[in-house]
Amino acid sequence: MTGEAGDTRGTRGTGEAGASAPDGLGARSRRVHEALRAAGIGGEIVVLPDAAATAPLAATALGVEVGAIANSLVFWSDGEPLLVMTSGAHRVDTAALAERLGRGSIVRATPDQVRAATGQAIGGVAPTGHPAPLTTIVDEALAAYDEIWAAGGTPHTVSPLTYDELVRLTGGTVARVD
């Protein structure tokens, strides 16, 4: 880290594939770290002192705008999980998004469905590190930020990345979600 104690800005790493995970990360965050490195993304996973399971909590902890938080929301649509990476400043309009995507409906996944699809708990779902790739939608509004922050596999972990890295990492479809 750089700057004063608690300052997490400027923590982007080198993106060296195969770099070992930082000490102190649990299994879920280690899996996310490994997936980030495999994709050539170098941001370090930051362990927060308090859980940041919501965008406002994460933004406050990191000292960034709430819109720079990439919320990982899992929905159920047409019999499969759908991961929506949305700006913390937006709410997902599921009816409008279903229409834009040509889907029958989009409904919030249950906690059990989230865990089964991602291997992670609500409040800490990362954009990667899941048992299998998920169909992903990335909120176009996140492109307004040079650096965005996403969960690192637990409510206590986050990682920085760019919008382009997020789209590439998830193989996501860019769309308006609100």
Side-chain angles (χ1 to χ4, degrees):
M1 284 191 214
T2 60
E4 296 179 29
D7 182 359
T8 56
R9 292 166 292 199
T11 57
R12 294 185 60 77
T14 62
E16 295 174 13
S20 63
D23 291 336
L25 290 182
R28 287 184 205 98
S29 293
R30 283 183 177 278
R31 183 176 302 172
V32 172
H33 173 85
E34 291 164 5
L36 290 169
R37 290 303 178 271
I41 298 171
E44 295 297 329
I45 291 180
V46 175
V47 179
L48 301 173
D50 297 310
T54 67
L57 289 173
T60 298
L62 294 165
V64 301
E65 292 180 50
V66 71
I69 303 300
N71 277 340
S72 305
L73 304 177
V74 181
F75 295 91
W76 203 256
S77 178
D78 297 346
E80 68 176 11
L82 175 69
L83 177 63
V84 177
M85 299 297 305
T86 184
S87 166
H90 288 154
R91 294 187 66 95
V92 176
D93 181 334
T94 55
L97 186 58
E99 186 175 321
R100 280 186 206 109
L101 299 176
R103 289 179 170 253
S105 69
I106 297 175
V107 297
R108 185 72 68 139
T110 67
D112 288 341
Q113 288 172 322
V114 171
R115 174 93 54 189
T118 68
Q120 302 160 1
I122 292 173
V125 174
T128 190
H130 311 138
L134 298 176
T135 300
T136 303
I137 305 301
V138 178
D139 185 354
E140 65 187 14
L142 288 166
Y145 299 92
D146 292 334
E147 181 175 69
I148 56 179
W149 291 82
T154 74
H156 284 272
T157 56
V158 292
S159 182
L161 67 165
T162 68
Y163 177 76
D164 289 340
E165 288 172 337
L166 178 63
V167 172
R168 181 173 49 83
L169 175 68
T170 63
T173 300
V174 174
R176 180 176 170 199
V177 302
D178 62 345

